Amino acid sequence: MGTFKERLPYGLLGLLAIIALVTLLWLLVPVAGRSKTDSPSSFPGTRESGITLIDQNGATLHLNEAARRVIVIPIPMASMMMAIDGSAEKIYGMNAAAKTDLTDGLLGRMFPDAMNISTEVAGENFIPNSEALAREHPDLVMQWGDRSDAIIQPIKALGMPVLGFRYGDSLLAAEWLEMIGSVIGKPTRAHELSSWFRTRVREITDIAATIPDAEKPRVVYLIRAKAALMAVGKSTSMDSDIRRVGGINPATALPPSSTVDIEQLLRWNPDIVLLNNFEPGLSPDFFYNDPRFAEMNAVKSRRVYLYPRGGFRWDPPSQETPLATEWLFKVLHPKHADKTGDLRSHIKAAYQFLYRYSVSESEIDEILQTEKNIKSALYAELFAPLSPQPSLTLNERDE
């Protein structure tokens, strides 16, 4: 009798040899330098058999496939998802507050179809509307996971998967991008955005670290100003942003959102006051025209500024945080503004990258809220086009 090989037909021997070679190559590819961006499974949190990740609150989420019908309850995540996915077609419900970015910012111009997205899925304080959620049959619901079980359990009771996010330092938003990209099947795109986010914020942080302590201004961000004065304290993105770019927040020891009276604000006597994008009609004139604030440093030096607003408002964390960080550095340190380059050109490049949108000069003025900020110190000089028209003096603006 011959050997085992001798008893096999030559054709079968060849086939076995090919199978053995293919198997060997398959085993060697990961070791031989397979790119980490070649497939979704290479990104943290994904698996070949579906998608599994641990969210920012320690909960494990598993999806059999990328989500195609998503409810987005946290306000920043709707515009983030549009930037990652290049459309709004997977969003089947979002927070009503997020919809104002479609009407009051540029988001609606870039994603006009998003105007039709339902806002009935959540009410005040991110409380989910169970009936509205059930009508949409989502594959996934995005929700804040660090607030209370009261806004999570109604979703789980419907048998719907929940992806939980955590609020705090603005740097958390880079991870938000990666989480969203993983669950909608766009991990490579999300990784590109998060890498740009981290790199640019780090560059500005490094520049800010060179600012001497003696030059650091006292800065108060008011999350509410019209009905009552409310300053932000510890564990907030705004507090971390102020400190990151070389400012001092006198409210940093207070709870995250603290109501303060005028006397307290005057005792702090901030050099700069930053205004929120959550109160319609708010502008620096609110302070400039109120005699009660006349002796405050920020008013005397005309250094009250309304945060910009583009694809999302720039005061909370979002995909536009690198631009917001640069703007804030320039506002706090105008003498060093040239160290971070030209913000207008950075906006143009970023909007192409984030939204594949060619933003015009007039739209950049809209984003920067130039009309509302024009009476504030050095705003035209800091953020004018490279070839600006002759600007009015401060006295001429007031006439």
Side-chain angles (χ1 to χ4, degrees), residues 3 74 125 147 175 197 205 207 241 310 324 332 383 390:
T3 64
N125 299 316
R147 293 176 179 256
E175 195 173 335
F197 182 114
T205 303
I207 294 170
D241 291 342
L332 267 60
F383 304 115

Side-chain angles (χ1 to χ4, degrees), residues 73-188:
I73 296 177
I75 301 171
M77 285 37 167
S79 63
M80 272 191 162
M81 188 166 159
M82 293 178 208
I84 295 167
D85 201 37
S87 77
E89 65 182 13
K90 293 186 178 77
I91 303 176
Y92 279 73
M94 65 182 181
N95 198 301
K99 200 157 191 176
T100 64
D101 292 299
L102 295 166
T103 56
D104 298 348
L106 264 66
L107 195 64
R109 242 170 276 176
M110 297 184 288
F111 301 99
D113 291 347
M115 295 297 296
N116 300 319
I117 296 173
S118 169
T119 58
E120 297 177 0
V121 293
E124 291 289 327
N125 299 316
F126 310 100
I127 296 173
N129 179 338
S130 297
E131 291 184 5
L133 288 175
R135 284 197 302 269
E136 299 298 341
H137 304 287
D139 303 321
L140 176 69
V141 179
M142 297 182 186
Q143 177 62 295
W144 291 119
D146 59 348
R147 293 176 179 256
S148 76
D149 284 343
I151 64 172
I152 295 287
Q153 289 307 319
I155 305 169
K156 290 184 175 180
L158 294 169
M160 298 173 180
V162 182
L163 179 62
F165 296 86
R166 184 161 58 91
Y167 172 76
D169 193 298
S170 288
L171 296 181
L172 289 169
E175 195 173 335
W176 298 350
L177 289 164
E178 292 168 351
M179 291 165 60
I180 294 170
S182 291
V183 296
I184 65 171
K186 296 289 182 74
T188 302

